[in-house]
Amino acid sequence: MSTQFTRRGFLGSAAAVGGATAWTVNGPGAALARAAEPGNRVPGAETVTVGRDDPRYQDLVSRGFNGRFRGRPDAVHLVHSADQVVDVVNKAVQGGRRVAVRSGGHCFEGFVDDPAVRAVIDMSQMREVSYDPRRRAFAVEPGATLGEVYRTLYLNWGVTLPAGVCPQVGVGGHVLGGGYGPLSRREGVVTDHLYAVEVVVVDKAGRARRVVATREESDPNHDLWWAHTGGGGGNFGVVTRYWFRSPGATGDDPAKLLPKAPGSSLRYVVTWQWSDLTERAFSRILANHGEWHMRNSDARSPYAVMHSVFYLNNRAGGQIVLEVQIDGGVAGAEGLVDNYVGALGEGVGLKPAVERTAEPWLRATLANRYDTAGYDRTKSKGAYLRKPWSGPQIATLYRHLSADSQIWGEVSLYSYGGKVNSVPETATATAQRASVVKVWMSVTWKDAAQDDANVQWLRELYRDVFAETGGVPVPGDATEGTFINYPDIDLLDPKWNTSGVPWHTLYYKGNYPRLQQVKARWDPRDTFRHALSVRLPG
């Protein structure tokens, strides 16, 4: 947790997510949910097209998370239905205008803000969360934020999804990239619970239409569903609705069709000050962290119910911080966390500060708001670890993070594995199914004049940590590539990726050829594209 803002949040953030807060809910908890936030969906609203001369334009084009990028499309189209999306896409294709989609705007790269994009489809007004009895699944529109989804599912039916921790992030791209969160070790990634998806696609003749694809093997559109279980945003079409139901769930009682939400959340915050950390202490803590995850990341482990994030802030942040979260209703929950914290401190010789809190689960979940405090320029990189960091890697991390610097950077280590790794890597487009830790490296700053220095700092850190595999986490015995919801265009650049392994193998492993076949069938004109989008075959 860097001192300028709290990092508690970006578990699986993504391109094309979230927006302002509004509610459309059904069921006995509807009144309570509506009372919590102002504003509901506008029924019967038409598409709102906002051009450059409209005073609303600057608000809409500056809605992206990363302040490094600002687009200048001809227009932003706020849509309220799938039919309106079809109409906007048809007109864009007919007019030869490049189109991009934004739900919440938390993309780390400038895909939506690409200067070539002439029409932005803003999904933020499509945010309904409801139960669909015909499909026995929960319907969620892409503009809904994770906070809206959590509140609605919990208050109405007592269920939830194993998605990200930041409530401002939207569903749109978060789901597409295979988002994850504090419940993923227990329940898998969010797309493991995706039953169906409605997508606006464009055929070879340039005509847009709606298609529904499901998990059912007999569905002729099954391949389109599969591509949306981790294939990433901006590849195949425009998602206008998701349906969620857990695999194996039976009956028509909504309360039994998704994971049951915890009743309470027990959270530990464990802090070591940089002023106390020697290289030996730092190295021992990281070695202990990696070894513990190797021993305790099986789906049958009693620790599969526990999640942690280890924020390795650089010295400018003043401290490194471990946050641990567990369902307070689990038998022996405090003992599990105490054992974990004790294992990390074994042989270190330093006593960290430990803060414990217990809150109702929904309150704790919705409190994880992400505030940049003006530090809205950012660069990110990711990795999956199958094994602990090696000794040379830990030494490299210490060298970069301990140096005196005016740059605010960090390496975040997220507990992974558990139920995630019980799914075959080809069953969904989320191919990384053997890792025990997920890594997010990031740097944030305010001043555009500091762009080059900050980006260079992170590039060099990443290159040096993965020096033995060409500067990137090549899929193999120790690492398993990286996460498409942490997009990084440096992976295209042979200066920073000297491994000889293409970017798409790092993100999708062996699933990429199948994604290309889906692309050829459903987006044969390459209407939906960006720097890291799935390419057409050949």
Side-chain angles (χ1 to χ4, degrees), residues 10 72 198 206-207 211 239 246 308-309 333 359 365 505 515:
F10 262 58
R72 189 168 166 75
E198 180 183 65
R207 293 185 298 262
V211 176
V239 173
S246 296
S308 75
V309 189
E359 291 183 282
T365 298
T505 299
L515 288 168

Side-chain angles (χ1 to χ4, degrees), residues 291-302:
E291 291 164 5
W292 184 94
H293 280 85
M294 284 293 291
R295 296 192 306 268
N296 296 285
S297 294
D298 186 86
R300 296 164 294 182
S301 167

Side-chain angles (χ1 to χ4, degrees), residues 418-434:
K419 185 72 173 289
V420 174
N421 292 351
S422 67
V423 177
E425 66 179 50
T426 59
T428 69
T430 302
Q432 288 82 4
R433 299 288 185 168

Side-chain angles (χ1 to χ4, degrees), residues 278-359:
T278 62
E279 182 171 1
R280 178 193 170 279
F282 178 91
S283 300
R284 184 60 185 265
I285 293 170
L286 258 64
N288 289 345
H289 179 270
E291 291 164 5
W292 184 94
H293 280 85
M294 284 293 291
R295 296 192 306 268
N296 296 285
S297 294
D298 186 86
R300 296 164 294 182
S301 167
Y303 292 95
V305 297
M306 192 181 74
H307 178 78
S308 75
V309 189
F310 202 173
Y311 300 101
L312 305 178
N313 302 302
N314 68 343
R315 187 176 294 274
Q319 56 197 349
I320 62 174
V321 181
L322 176 76
E323 288 197 13
V324 189
Q325 187 173 337
I326 191 170
D327 180 349
V330 170
E334 290 192 21
L336 290 172
V337 181
D338 287 339
N339 290 341
Y340 173 48
V341 174
L344 264 61
E346 185 176 347
V348 173
L350 294 175
K351 185 176 181 180
V354 180
E355 177 186 349
R356 300 173 178 84
T357 58
E359 291 183 282

Side-chain angles (χ1 to χ4, degrees), residues 188-231:
V189 297
V190 66
T191 44
D192 293 340
H193 301 265
L194 182 65
Y195 174 71
V197 60
E198 180 183 65
V199 192
V200 173
V201 297
V202 177
D203 64 19
K204 190 175 295 186
R207 293 185 298 262
R209 70 191 192 281
R210 287 191 292 164
V211 176
V212 174
T214 73
R215 190 167 60 205
E216 304 296 337
E217 293 284 351
S218 59
D219 184 350
N221 302 330
H222 177 77
D223 64 336
L224 187 62
W225 166 85
W226 178 87
H228 284 79
T229 60

